[in-house]
Coordinates of all heavy atoms in Angstrom, one line a residue:
M1 N -93.6 18.0 -136.5 CA -93.0 16.7 -136.6 C -91.9 16.6 -135.6 O -91.6 15.5 -135.0 CB -92.5 16.4 -138.0 CG -93.7 16.1 -139.0 SD -93.1 15.9 -140.7 CE -92.2 14.3 -140.5
A2 N -91.2 17.6 -135.3 CA -90.0 17.6 -134.4 C -90.4 17.3 -133.0 O -89.7 16.7 -132.2 CB -89.3 18.9 -134.4
R3 N -91.7 17.6 -132.6 CA -92.2 17.3 -131.3 C -93.0 16.1 -131.2 O -93.5 15.7 -130.1 CB -93.0 18.5 -130.8 CG -92.2 19.8 -130.7 CD -93.0 21.0 -130.4 NE -93.8 20.8 -129.2 CZ -95.0 21.3 -129.0 NH1 -95.6 22.0 -129.9 NH2 -95.6 21.1 -127.9
A4 N -93.2 15.4 -132.3 CA -94.0 14.1 -132.3 C -93.3 13.0 -131.4 O -92.1 12.7 -131.6 CB -94.2 13.6 -133.7
A5 N -94.1 12.5 -130.5 CA -93.6 11.4 -129.7 C -93.3 10.1 -130.5 O -92.5 9.3 -130.0 CB -94.6 11.1 -128.6
C6 N -93.8 10.0 -131.7 CA -93.6 8.8 -132.5 C -92.4 9.0 -133.4 O -92.1 8.1 -134.2 CB -94.8 8.5 -133.3 SG -95.3 9.9 -134.4
R7 N -91.7 10.1 -133.3 CA -90.6 10.4 -134.2 C -89.6 9.2 -134.3 O -89.2 8.9 -135.4 CB -89.9 11.7 -133.7 CG -89.0 12.3 -134.6 CD -88.4 13.6 -134.1 NE -87.7 13.3 -132.8 CZ -88.0 13.8 -131.6 NH1 -89.0 14.7 -131.5 NH2 -87.3 13.6 -130.5
D8 N -89.3 8.6 -133.2 CA -88.3 7.5 -133.2 C -88.9 6.2 -133.0 O -88.2 5.2 -132.8 CB -87.2 7.8 -132.2 CG -86.5 9.1 -132.4 OD1 -86.2 9.4 -133.6 OD2 -86.2 9.8 -131.5
A9 N -90.2 6.1 -133.1 CA -90.9 4.8 -132.8 C -90.9 3.9 -134.0 O -90.7 4.4 -135.2 CB -92.3 5.0 -132.4
D10 N -91.1 2.6 -133.8 CA -91.1 1.7 -134.9 C -92.4 2.0 -135.8 O -93.5 1.9 -135.3 CB -91.2 0.2 -134.3 CG -91.4 -0.8 -135.4 OD1 -91.4 -0.5 -136.6 OD2 -91.4 -2.0 -135.0
P11 N -92.2 2.3 -137.0 CA -93.4 2.6 -137.9 C -94.4 1.5 -138.0 O -95.6 1.7 -138.2 CB -92.7 2.8 -139.3 CG -91.3 3.1 -139.0 CD -90.9 2.4 -137.7
E12 N -94.0 0.2 -137.8 CA -94.9 -0.9 -137.8 C -96.0 -0.8 -136.7 O -97.1 -1.3 -136.9 CB -94.1 -2.2 -137.7 CG -94.9 -3.4 -137.8 CD -95.7 -3.6 -139.1 OE1 -95.2 -3.1 -140.1 OE2 -96.8 -4.2 -139.1
L13 N -95.6 -0.1 -135.6 CA -96.6 0.1 -134.6 C -97.8 1.0 -135.0 O -98.9 0.8 -134.7 CB -96.0 0.7 -133.3 CG -95.0 -0.1 -132.5 CD1 -94.4 0.8 -131.4 CD2 -95.7 -1.3 -131.9
F14 N -97.4 1.9 -135.9 CA -98.4 2.9 -136.3 C -99.0 2.6 -137.6 O -100.1 3.1 -138.0 CB -97.7 4.3 -136.4 CG -97.4 4.9 -135.0 CD1 -96.3 4.5 -134.3 CD2 -98.3 5.7 -134.4 CE1 -96.0 4.9 -133.0 CE2 -98.0 6.2 -133.1 CZ -96.9 5.8 -132.4
F15 N -98.4 1.7 -138.4 CA -98.9 1.3 -139.7 C -98.9 -0.2 -139.8 O -98.2 -0.7 -140.7 CB -98.1 2.0 -140.8 CG -98.4 3.5 -140.9 CD1 -97.5 4.3 -140.2 CD2 -99.4 4.1 -141.6 CE1 -97.7 5.7 -140.2 CE2 -99.6 5.4 -141.6 CZ -98.7 6.3 -140.9
P16 N -99.6 -0.9 -139.0 CA -99.6 -2.4 -139.1 C -100.4 -2.8 -140.4 O -101.1 -2.0 -140.9 CB -100.4 -2.8 -137.9 CG -101.3 -1.7 -137.6 CD -100.5 -0.4 -138.0
I17 N -100.1 -4.0 -140.8 CA -100.8 -4.5 -142.0 C -102.3 -4.6 -141.7 O -103.1 -4.3 -142.6 CB -100.2 -5.8 -142.4 CG1 -98.8 -5.5 -142.9 CG2 -101.0 -6.5 -143.5 CD1 -98.0 -6.8 -143.2
T18 N -102.7 -5.1 -140.5 CA -104.1 -5.2 -140.2 C -104.2 -4.6 -138.7 O -103.3 -4.7 -138.0 CB -104.6 -6.6 -140.2 OG1 -103.8 -7.4 -139.3 CG2 -104.6 -7.2 -141.6
W19 N -105.4 -4.2 -138.4 CA -105.7 -3.7 -137.1 C -106.3 -4.7 -136.2 O -107.2 -5.4 -136.7 CB -106.6 -2.4 -137.1 CG -105.9 -1.3 -137.7 CD1 -106.0 -0.8 -139.0 CD2 -104.9 -0.4 -137.1 NE1 -105.2 0.3 -139.2 CE2 -104.6 0.5 -138.0 CE3 -104.4 -0.3 -135.8 CZ2 -103.6 1.5 -137.7 CZ3 -103.5 0.7 -135.5 CH2 -103.1 1.6 -136.5
D20 N -105.8 -4.8 -135.0 CA -106.4 -5.8 -134.1 C -106.7 -5.0 -132.8 O -105.8 -4.6 -132.1 CB -105.4 -6.9 -133.8 CG -106.0 -8.0 -132.9 OD1 -107.0 -7.7 -132.2 OD2 -105.4 -9.1 -132.8
D21 N -108.0 -4.8 -132.6 CA -108.4 -3.9 -131.5 C -108.5 -4.6 -130.1 O -108.8 -3.9 -129.1 CB -109.7 -3.2 -131.8 CG -109.6 -2.2 -132.9 OD1 -108.5 -1.7 -133.1 OD2 -110.6 -1.9 -133.5
R22 N -108.1 -5.9 -130.1 CA -108.2 -6.5 -128.8 C -107.1 -6.0 -127.8 O -106.0 -5.5 -128.3 CB -108.0 -8.0 -128.9 CG -109.2 -8.7 -129.6 CD -108.9 -10.1 -129.8 NE -107.9 -10.3 -130.9 CZ -107.3 -11.5 -131.1 NH1 -107.7 -12.5 -130.5 NH2 -106.4 -11.5 -132.1
P23 N -107.3 -6.0 -126.5 CA -106.3 -5.4 -125.6 C -105.0 -6.1 -125.7 O -104.9 -7.3 -126.0 CB -106.9 -5.7 -124.2 CG -108.4 -5.8 -124.5 CD -108.5 -6.4 -125.9
G24 N -103.9 -5.4 -125.5 CA -102.6 -5.9 -125.5 C -101.9 -6.1 -126.8 O -100.9 -6.6 -127.0
R25 N -102.6 -5.5 -127.8 CA -102.0 -5.6 -129.2 C -101.1 -4.4 -129.5 O -101.0 -3.5 -128.8 CB -103.2 -5.8 -130.2 CG -104.1 -6.9 -130.0 CD -103.3 -8.2 -129.9 NE -104.2 -9.3 -129.7 CZ -103.9 -10.5 -129.4 NH1 -102.6 -10.8 -129.2 NH2 -104.7 -11.5 -129.2
A26 N -100.5 -4.5 -130.7 CA -99.5 -3.5 -131.1 C -100.1 -2.1 -131.0 O -99.4 -1.1 -130.7 CB -99.0 -3.8 -132.4
D27 N -101.4 -2.0 -131.4 CA -102.0 -0.6 -131.4 C -102.1 0.0 -130.0 O -102.1 1.2 -129.8 CB -103.3 -0.5 -132.2 CG -104.4 -1.3 -131.5 OD1 -104.3 -2.5 -131.3 OD2 -105.3 -0.6 -131.1
D28 N -102.1 -0.9 -129.0 CA -102.1 -0.4 -127.6 C -100.8 0.4 -127.3 O -100.8 1.4 -126.7 CB -102.2 -1.5 -126.6 CG -103.6 -2.0 -126.5 OD1 -104.5 -1.4 -127.2 OD2 -103.8 -3.1 -125.9
E29 N -99.7 -0.2 -127.9 CA -98.4 0.5 -127.7 C -98.4 1.8 -128.4 O -97.9 2.8 -127.9 CB -97.3 -0.5 -128.2 CG -95.9 0.0 -127.7 CD -94.9 -1.1 -128.0 OE1 -95.2 -2.2 -128.3 OE2 -93.7 -0.7 -128.1
A30 N -98.9 1.8 -129.6 CA -98.9 3.1 -130.3 C -99.8 4.1 -129.6 O -99.5 5.3 -129.5 CB -99.5 2.8 -131.8
R31 N -101.0 3.7 -129.1 CA -101.9 4.6 -128.4 C -101.2 5.1 -127.2 O -101.4 6.3 -126.8 CB -103.1 3.8 -127.9 CG -104.2 3.8 -128.9 CD -105.4 3.1 -128.3 NE -106.0 2.2 -129.2 CZ -107.0 2.5 -130.1 NH1 -107.3 3.8 -130.1 NH2 -107.5 1.6 -130.9
S32 N -100.4 4.3 -126.5 CA -99.7 4.8 -125.3 C -98.7 5.9 -125.7 O -98.5 6.8 -124.9 CB -99.2 3.6 -124.6 OG -97.9 3.8 -124.2
I33 N -98.0 5.7 -126.8 CA -97.1 6.8 -127.3 C -97.9 8.0 -127.6 O -97.5 9.1 -127.2 CB -96.3 6.3 -128.5 CG1 -95.4 5.1 -128.1 CG2 -95.5 7.4 -129.1 CD1 -94.7 4.4 -129.2
C34 N -99.0 7.9 -128.3 CA -99.8 9.0 -128.6 C -100.4 9.8 -127.4 O -100.4 11.0 -127.3 CB -101.0 8.6 -129.5 SG -100.6 8.1 -131.2
R35 N -100.7 9.0 -126.4 CA -101.3 9.6 -125.1 C -100.3 10.6 -124.5 O -100.6 11.6 -123.9 CB -101.7 8.6 -124.1 CG -103.1 8.1 -124.3 CD -103.6 7.4 -123.0 NE -102.9 6.1 -122.8 CZ -103.2 5.0 -123.4 NH1 -104.3 4.9 -124.2 NH2 -102.6 3.9 -123.2
A36 N -99.0 10.3 -124.7 CA -97.9 11.2 -124.1 C -97.4 12.2 -125.1 O -96.5 12.9 -124.7 CB -96.8 10.3 -123.6
C37 N -98.0 12.3 -126.2 CA -97.5 13.2 -127.3 C -98.0 14.6 -127.1 O -99.2 14.8 -127.0 CB -97.9 12.6 -128.6 SG -97.3 13.6 -130.0
P38 N -97.1 15.6 -127.1 CA -97.5 17.0 -127.0 C -98.3 17.5 -128.1 O -98.9 18.6 -128.0 CB -96.2 17.7 -126.8 CG -95.1 16.8 -127.4 CD -95.6 15.4 -127.3
V39 N -98.2 16.9 -129.3 CA -98.9 17.4 -130.5 C -100.1 16.6 -130.8 O -100.7 16.7 -131.9 CB -98.0 17.6 -131.7 CG1 -96.9 18.6 -131.4 CG2 -97.4 16.3 -132.1
R40 N -100.6 15.8 -129.9 CA -101.7 14.9 -130.2 C -103.0 15.6 -130.7 O -103.6 15.2 -131.7 CB -102.1 14.1 -129.0 CG -103.2 13.1 -129.2 CD -103.6 12.3 -128.0 NE -104.7 11.4 -128.4 CZ -105.3 10.7 -127.5 NH1 -104.9 10.7 -126.2 NH2 -106.3 9.9 -127.9
P41 N -103.4 16.7 -130.1 CA -104.6 17.3 -130.6 C -104.5 17.8 -132.0 O -105.4 17.6 -132.8 CB -104.8 18.5 -129.6 CG -104.1 18.1 -128.4 CD -103.0 17.3 -128.8
A42 N -103.4 18.4 -132.4 CA -103.2 18.8 -133.8 C -103.1 17.7 -134.7 O -103.6 17.7 -135.8 CB -101.9 19.7 -133.8
C43 N -102.5 16.6 -134.3 CA -102.3 15.4 -135.1 C -103.7 14.8 -135.4 O -104.0 14.5 -136.5 CB -101.4 14.4 -134.4 SG -101.2 12.8 -135.2
L44 N -104.5 14.6 -134.4 CA -105.8 14.0 -134.5 C -106.7 14.9 -135.4 O -107.4 14.4 -136.3 CB -106.5 13.8 -133.2 CG -107.9 13.3 -133.2 CD1 -107.9 11.9 -133.9 CD2 -108.4 13.1 -131.8
D45 N -106.6 16.2 -135.2 CA -107.5 17.2 -136.0 C -107.1 17.1 -137.4 O -108.0 17.0 -138.3 CB -107.2 18.6 -135.4 CG -108.0 19.6 -136.2 OD1 -109.3 19.5 -136.2 OD2 -107.4 20.5 -136.9
W46 N -105.8 17.0 -137.7 CA -105.3 16.9 -139.1 C -105.8 15.6 -139.7 O -106.4 15.6 -140.9 CB -103.8 17.0 -139.2 CG -103.3 16.9 -140.6 CD1 -103.2 17.9 -141.5 CD2 -102.9 15.7 -141.2 NE1 -102.7 17.3 -142.7 CE2 -102.6 16.0 -142.5 CE3 -102.9 14.3 -140.8 CZ2 -102.1 15.0 -143.4 CZ3 -102.4 13.4 -141.7 CH2 -102.1 13.7 -143.0
A47 N -105.7 14.5 -139.0 CA -106.0 13.2 -139.6 C -107.5 13.1 -139.8 O -107.9 12.6 -140.9 CB -105.6 12.1 -138.6
V48 N -108.3 13.7 -139.0 CA -109.8 13.7 -139.2 C -110.2 14.6 -140.3 O -111.0 14.2 -141.2 CB -110.5 14.0 -137.9 CG1 -112.0 14.2 -138.1 CG2 -110.3 13.0 -136.8
R49 N -109.6 15.8 -140.3 CA -110.0 16.8 -141.4 C -109.6 16.3 -142.8 O -110.3 16.5 -143.7 CB -109.3 18.1 -141.1 CG -110.1 19.0 -140.2 CD -109.6 20.4 -140.1 NE -108.2 20.5 -139.6 CZ -107.1 20.7 -140.4 NH1 -107.3 21.0 -141.7 NH2 -105.9 20.8 -139.9
T50 N -108.4 15.6 -142.9 CA -108.0 15.2 -144.2 C -108.5 13.9 -144.6 O -108.2 13.4 -145.7 CB -106.4 15.2 -144.3 OG1 -105.9 14.3 -143.3 CG2 -105.9 16.6 -144.0
G51 N -109.1 13.1 -143.7 CA -109.6 11.8 -144.0 C -108.5 10.8 -144.1 O -108.6 9.9 -144.9
E52 N -107.4 11.0 -143.4 CA -106.3 10.1 -143.4 C -106.8 8.6 -143.3 O -107.4 8.3 -142.3 CB -105.3 10.4 -142.3 CG -104.2 9.4 -142.2 CD -103.3 9.3 -143.4 OE1 -102.9 10.3 -144.0 OE2 -103.1 8.2 -143.9
P53 N -106.6 7.8 -144.3 CA -107.2 6.5 -144.4 C -106.4 5.4 -143.7 O -106.9 4.2 -143.6 CB -107.3 6.2 -145.9 CG -106.1 6.9 -146.4 CD -105.9 8.1 -145.6
D54 N -105.2 5.6 -143.3 CA -104.4 4.6 -142.8 C -103.6 5.0 -141.6 O -103.3 6.2 -141.4 CB -103.4 4.1 -143.9 CG -102.8 2.7 -143.6 OD1 -103.4 2.0 -142.7 OD2 -101.8 2.4 -144.2
G55 N -103.2 4.1 -140.7 CA -102.3 4.3 -139.6 C -103.0 4.9 -138.4 O -104.1 5.2 -138.3
M56 N -102.2 4.9 -137.3 CA -102.6 5.4 -136.0 C -102.2 6.9 -136.0 O -101.0 7.2 -136.2 CB -101.9 4.7 -134.9 CG -102.0 5.3 -133.5 SD -103.6 5.0 -132.7 CE -103.6 3.2 -132.5
W57 N -103.1 7.8 -135.9 CA -102.9 9.2 -135.8 C -103.6 9.8 -134.6 O -104.8 9.6 -134.5 CB -103.4 9.9 -137.1 CG -102.6 9.5 -138.3 CD1 -102.9 8.4 -139.1 CD2 -101.5 10.2 -138.9 NE1 -102.0 8.4 -140.2 CE2 -101.2 9.5 -140.1 CE3 -100.8 11.3 -138.6 CZ2 -100.1 9.8 -140.9 CZ3 -99.8 11.7 -139.4 CH2 -99.4 11.0 -140.6
G58 N -102.9 10.6 -133.8 CA -103.6 11.2 -132.7 C -104.3 10.2 -131.7 O -105.2 10.4 -131.0
G59 N -103.7 8.9 -131.7 CA -104.3 7.9 -130.8 C -105.5 7.2 -131.4 O -106.2 6.6 -130.6
T60 N -105.8 7.4 -132.7 CA -107.0 6.7 -133.2 C -106.6 5.8 -134.4 O -105.7 6.1 -135.2 CB -108.0 7.8 -133.7 OG1 -107.4 8.6 -134.8 CG2 -108.5 8.7 -132.6
T61 N -107.4 4.8 -134.6 CA -107.3 3.9 -135.7 C -108.1 4.5 -136.9 O -109.0 5.4 -136.7 CB -107.8 2.5 -135.4 OG1 -109.2 2.6 -135.1 CG2 -107.1 1.9 -134.3
P62 N -108.0 4.0 -138.1 CA -108.8 4.5 -139.2 C -110.3 4.3 -138.9 O -111.1 5.3 -139.2 CB -108.4 3.6 -140.4 CG -106.9 3.2 -140.1 CD -106.9 3.1 -138.6
A63 N -110.7 3.2 -138.3 CA -112.1 3.0 -138.0 C -112.6 4.1 -137.0 O -113.7 4.6 -137.1 CB -112.4 1.6 -137.5
E64 N -111.8 4.4 -136.0 CA -112.2 5.4 -135.0 C -112.3 6.7 -135.7 O -113.2 7.5 -135.3 CB -111.2 5.3 -133.9 CG -111.3 4.1 -133.1 CD -110.1 3.8 -132.2 OE1 -109.1 4.5 -132.3 OE2 -110.2 3.0 -131.3
R65 N -111.4 7.1 -136.6 CA -111.5 8.4 -137.2 C -112.8 8.5 -138.2 O -113.4 9.5 -138.2 CB -110.2 8.7 -138.0 CG -109.1 8.9 -137.1 CD -107.9 9.5 -137.9 NE -107.4 8.6 -138.9 CZ -106.6 7.6 -138.8 NH1 -106.1 7.4 -137.6 NH2 -106.2 6.9 -139.8
R66 N -113.1 7.3 -138.8 CA -114.3 7.4 -139.6 C -115.5 7.7 -138.8 O -116.4 8.4 -139.2 CB -114.5 6.0 -140.4 CG -113.6 5.9 -141.6 CD -114.0 4.7 -142.5 NE -113.9 3.4 -141.8 CZ -112.8 2.7 -141.7 NH1 -111.7 3.1 -142.3 NH2 -112.7 1.5 -141.1
L67 N -115.5 7.1 -137.6 CA -116.6 7.4 -136.6 C -116.6 8.8 -136.2 O -117.7 9.5 -136.2 CB -116.5 6.4 -135.4 CG -117.6 6.3 -134.5 CD1 -118.8 5.7 -135.3 CD2 -117.3 5.3 -133.4
L68 N -115.5 9.4 -135.9 CA -115.4 10.8 -135.5 C -115.9 11.7 -136.7 O -116.7 12.6 -136.4 CB -114.0 11.2 -135.2 CG -113.4 10.6 -133.9 CD1 -111.9 10.9 -133.8 CD2 -114.2 11.3 -132.7
R69 N -115.5 11.4 -137.9 CA -116.0 12.2 -139.1 C -117.5 12.1 -139.2 O -118.1 13.1 -139.5 CB -115.3 11.7 -140.3 CG -113.9 12.4 -140.5 CD -113.4 12.2 -141.9 NE -113.2 10.8 -142.3 CZ -112.1 10.1 -141.9 NH1 -111.2 10.6 -141.2 NH2 -112.0 8.8 -142.3
A70 N -118.0 10.9 -139.0 CA -119.4 10.7 -139.2 C -120.2 11.5 -138.1 O -121.2 12.1 -138.4 CB -119.8 9.2 -139.1
R71 N -119.7 11.5 -136.9 CA -120.3 12.3 -135.9 C -120.3 13.8 -136.1 O -121.2 14.5 -135.8 CB -119.7 12.0 -134.5 CG -120.0 10.6 -134.0 CD -119.3 10.4 -132.7 NE -119.6 9.1 -132.2 CZ -118.8 8.4 -131.3 NH1 -117.7 8.9 -130.9 NH2 -119.2 7.2 -130.9
Q72 N -119.1 14.2 -136.7 CA -119.0 15.7 -137.0 C -119.9 16.1 -138.1 O -120.3 17.3 -138.2 CB -117.5 16.0 -137.4 CG -116.6 15.9 -136.3 CD -115.1 16.2 -136.7 OE1 -114.8 16.3 -137.9 NE2 -114.3 16.3 -135.7
T73 N -120.3 15.2 -139.0 CA -121.1 15.6 -140.2 C -122.6 15.3 -139.9 O -123.4 15.7 -140.7 CB -120.7 14.9 -141.5 OG1 -120.7 13.5 -141.3 CG2 -119.3 15.3 -141.9
A74 N -122.9 14.7 -138.8 CA -124.3 14.3 -138.5 C -125.0 15.5 -137.9 O -124.5 16.5 -137.5 CB -124.3 13.2 -137.4
Ligands
LIG1 S1 -100.3 11.9 -131.7 FE1 -99.6 11.9 -133.8 S2 -97.6 12.8 -133.8 FE2 -98.1 12.2 -131.7 S3 -97.3 10.1 -131.4 FE3 -99.4 9.9 -132.1 S4 -99.3 9.7 -134.3 FE4 -97.3 10.5 -133.6

């Protein structure tokens, strides 16, 4: 957590009430923070393995993680 790029970011960027995947939306800003994060691979792996149901983790939305999990179990 100490190395997380989102450590001081606005939590609303990572946990919006609803997700809007259109370009230029808040999740783009969160993704851009995740892209520069040194712990992104570990963060994404944890979120996919635990089935984290909410928020932006490792640069992915909940729907994107569900897709990743489905591909891993196929
Ligand atoms: S990859 Fe994970 S720890 Fe890093 S900024 Fe994104 S949500 Fe935060």
Side-chain angles (χ1 to χ4, degrees):
M1 287 176 68
R3 296 173 57 214
C6 58
R7 191 179 60 243
D8 298 320
D10 179 357
E12 183 59 30
L13 291 175
F14 289 81
F15 292 91
I17 292 173
T18 59
W19 291 100
D20 185 342
D21 289 339
R22 289 176 293 169
R25 304 302 181 195
D27 67 295
D28 286 351
E29 195 172 337
R31 272 183 224 275
S32 134
I33 293 170
C34 288
R35 270 195 294 274
C37 180
V39 296
R40 181 181 178 187
C43 177
L44 177 58
D45 180 61
W46 178 86
V48 171
R49 274 191 298 107
T50 61
E52 175 57 51
D54 197 16
M56 172 75 68
W57 294 86
T60 61
T61 63
E64 291 165 343
R65 289 192 301 277
R66 284 194 295 276
L67 196 58
L68 286 172
R69 276 193 297 279
R71 286 180 182 155
Q72 287 178 353
T73 57

